[in-house]
């Protein structure tokens, strides 16, 4: 069990040797994400304030042109990852195609690529609901010394070397895994350091919370409809509680702590659901499995899906293992 209250920096150094690829680069990569998270956190936390100050003109209080926060977050993560000269490629929800990084990287010598949703749930900012950044890290598969290709980004989720999220909520946390469990770090804004507050995070095998946008109910597959009715029945430990924040990171985080299931199924309106495989579902699935939870599209393990496009969407069911397996049972029975 990791000792609480150590800083993220101390934790990374102590656990660097446990990581099979360790060369310090991944540690530097996690550190660059830490820095970007603090910069974005500062901007997200004063979003309302900036709106007030923004009335004074087009400038925000740093004198920068007012930008949509997800565009701002995208820029900050890309700048930080590029300036640290650690990655050879980046893909982002905010970028149509992947970005080949060769700034100070003499002939593409860096080994890692990052896929990121810089500010998931950003529409919630206007109503002061928590949002998050989601990231996924792989080693490149094309030869070092050449520019990255789409092949480096279309790897199965089971090849991830690290994944995590930042949740900008009542407190700001960085939660990540390198394949050795899931650990959560809380930012102390007064000094700008992240402290290990949630060591070895795990999904309870069972939970009593289900998270789904029930406004889409009539469009869901029969298996999902019947699973939702199962959650609502007066029987055994049910009915469960329905909690849906509309922010994947927030619903996932609460379910991991309390136990629960999150579903964004396919529907007659969205044939493959809404969530993106590469920079939403795969990183959350890696975290879920590292926390003894489960993640599937209702039939197939998320991390075994072979991606074909950078921004492809998949149906997503994720959370407490026994709840996901019950939902999969309904999907098989009524498919
Ligand atoms: P809906 C945010 O846009 C997001 O990608 C997830 O964070 C969230 O769970 C989901 O979409 C909300 O989508 O269609 O229910 O509003």
């Amino acid at each position: 069990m990791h000792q609480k209250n150590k800083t993220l920096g101390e934790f990374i150094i102590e656990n660097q040797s446990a990581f099979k690829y360790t060369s310090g680069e991944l540690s530097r990569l996690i550190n660059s994400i830490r820095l970007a998270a603090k910069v974005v956190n500062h901007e997200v936390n004063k979003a309302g304030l900036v709106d007030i100050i923004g009335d004074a003109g087009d400038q925000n209080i740093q004198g920068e042109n007012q930008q949509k926060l997800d565009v701002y977050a995208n820029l900050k993560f890309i700048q930080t990852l590029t300036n640290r000269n650690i990655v050879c490629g980046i893909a982002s929800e905010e970028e149509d195609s992947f970005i080949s990084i060769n700034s100070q990287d003499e002939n593409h010598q860096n080994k890692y690529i990052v896929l990121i949703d810089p500010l998931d749930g950003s529409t919630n900012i206007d109503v002061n609901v928590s949002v998050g950044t989601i990231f996924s890290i792989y080693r490149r598969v094309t030869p070092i010394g050449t520019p990255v290709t789409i092949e480096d980004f279309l790897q199965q989720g089971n090849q991830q070397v690290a994944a995590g999220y930042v949740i900008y909520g009542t407190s700001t946390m960085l939660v990540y895994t390198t394949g050795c469990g899931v650990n959560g770090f809380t930012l102390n804004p007064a000094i700008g350091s992240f402290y290990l507050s949630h060591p070895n995070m795990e999904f309870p095998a069972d939970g009593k919370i289900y998270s789904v946008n029930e406004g889409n109910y009539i469009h869901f597959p029969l298996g999902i409809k019947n699973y939702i009715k199962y959650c609502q029945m007066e029987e055994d430990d049910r009915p469960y509680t329905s909690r849906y924040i509309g922010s994947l990171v927030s619903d996932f985080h609460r379910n991991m702590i309390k136990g629960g299931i999150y579903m964004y199924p396919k529907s007659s309106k969205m044939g493959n659901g809404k969530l993106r495989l590469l920079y939403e579902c795969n990183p959350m699935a890696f975290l879920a499995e590292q926390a003894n939870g489960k993640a599937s599209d209702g039939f197939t393990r998320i991390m075994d899906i072979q991606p074909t496009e950078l921004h492809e969407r998949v149906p997503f069911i994720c959370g407490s293992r026994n709840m996901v397996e019950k939902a999969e049972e309904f999907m098989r029975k009524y498919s």
Side-chain angles (χ1 to χ4, degrees), residues 322-333:
N322 295 345
M323 297 182 84
V324 172
E325 288 176 354
K326 176 59 78 175
E328 289 171 336
E329 191 184 300
F330 276 82
M331 289 299 285
R332 282 192 299 273
K333 184 175 178 184

Side-chain angles (χ1 to χ4, degrees), residues 120-121 213 216 244 246-249 251 262 264 274-275 280:
D120 180 68
N213 184 341
N216 298 322
Y244 189 69
S247 173
L248 167 61
V249 168
D251 282 314
Y262 171 97
Y264 209 105
K274 174 183 181 182
L275 300 187
E280 290 175 330

Side-chain angles (χ1 to χ4, degrees), residues 93 117 119-124 134 212-214 216 244-251 262-264 269-270 274-276 280:
E93 180 173 67
D117 182 356
L119 207 59
D120 180 68
S122 52
T123 52
N124 288 313
I134 308 171
V212 66
N213 184 341
E214 296 190 60
N216 298 322
Y244 189 69
I245 298 172
S247 173
L248 167 61
V249 168
S250 305
D251 282 314
Y262 171 97
M263 299 181 285
Y264 209 105
K269 286 195 308 182
M270 288 180 272
K274 174 183 181 182
L275 300 187
R276 313 286 190 169
E280 290 175 330

